[in-house]
Amino acid sequence: MSDQSIPQIEATSRAPENHLKFDVVIVGSGNAGSSATLSAIDNGCKRVLLIDKCPPEWVGGNSYFTAGAYRTVHGGLADILDIVSNVDPELAGTVDMEPYTHEQFTGDIMRLSDGRSDPTLVQALVDDSHDTIQWLSKRVKIPFVLSFHRQAYLVDGRQKFWGGMVLAVEDGGKGLVVAHHRALEESGVDVWFNTEAIELVLSNGRVSGLEVKKCDKTLTLEAASVILASGGFESSREMRHKYLGSEWVNARVRRLYLCCSTGRATDLQRSEEHPITPAKPC
C-alpha cells in the first residue's frame, strides 16, 4: 500500500440538517472511532453518524502516526497465517512462533501497568483479542502482515519470533486509516468533518445526545448512544502528572475535547493537550 494515500473523504449526509436524530453518534475518526462506527452498523444501527473536528485530509487522528502493531492471543503461526499477506508457504516453513496465551497477554498488561489496570477491562481486551483481529481483517480488510522487522530475528536460517506483538499493518498507521475509511465509505455511513463536539446532552441523568459546532453553527444531535473515541486521559495535564509523572506536565500536544468522569454535560470541556500528534491543523 506504499503507493496509496488517505482517501479524500468528503463529509456525507443523506438526511436534512434539521433531522438530527441518530441511533449512535461517534466522536473521533481514528482506529477506535472507525471500528465503533462499523460495529454499530453491523449490530443493526440504521442512523449512524461519525464526526471529527479535523478536515477530511487529516482523517484518522493519532492512528495515522502509529506503527500499526497489534497484540493478540494466538495458538502459534498456523492460527494467524490466514490473515497475513507477506508469508508464502516457503517462508512459513522457516518461521518459529510460540503461542501467545491469555495468561501471557494478561501478565504483560499487568506488568507494564504495575498491576494498576482494571482486571475487568483487561479480561475483555484479552478474551476478545483474537476475534477482534479476525473482524478487523475480514470486515475492515486491514492489511495485516507478520512483523519480521520488529519481532523476529534470523537465527541459523530461521525466523524466530519473540513476544506477543507479532502482527503489524502494511504501511503502519497510514495503511490502518486507509482501510478503515474505505470500509466506512463502502458502508455509506454519515461522516461530518470540521465538526467539533462541544457538550454532552443529558436527559433525566442519562446521555441523550451531543451538542456540536459545524460550520460555525451549533447543532444538537439526539442520539440513543454517544461514543467518545477522541483520546484518553493523556489530554488532561492533571491526570498526566498523576499517572505518568511530573515530566509530562509540559508536553507539547494538541487540543481536543474530553469528557470527564462526573457525568455532567458541562464536564465535556476543552482540555489543553493531546499527546503524540505533531503540529496538526485540527
Side-chain angles (χ1 to χ4, degrees), residues 27 36 48-49 61 67 70 78 89-90 110 122-123 142 150 162 170 173-175 197 210 218 239 259 268 281:
V27 183
V48 180
L49 174 66
Y70 276 83
E90 182 178 357
M110 289 303 188
V122 171
Q123 183 177 358
I142 301 293
R150 287 177 175 265
W162 61 277
E170 187 178 347
K174 176 182 177 181
L210 184 69
T218 299
M239 295 181 75
C259 181
L268 190 62

Side-chain angles (χ1 to χ4, degrees), residues 231-241 243-244 258 275:
F233 78 89
E234 297 93 338
S235 58
S236 165
R237 177 176 293 178
E238 178 180 319
M239 295 181 75
R240 284 205 316 277
H241 181 273
Y243 294 108
L244 300 179
L258 174 71

Side-chain angles (χ1 to χ4, degrees), residues 2 41 54 57 136 155 176 254-256 266:
S2 59
I41 294 170
C54 67
E57 59 268 25
L136 287 168
V155 180
L176 179 67
R254 72 181 176 98
R255 299 167 72 94
L256 57 76
T266 54

Side-chain angles (χ1 to χ4, degrees), residues 7 24-25 39 77 131 135 147 160 205 210 221 226 229 233 247 274:
V24 58
V25 175
S39 180
L77 179 63
D131 288 345
W135 180 83
S147 188
K160 294 186 177 294
L210 184 69
L221 311 179
V226 176
F233 78 89
E247 65 273 18
H274 188 48

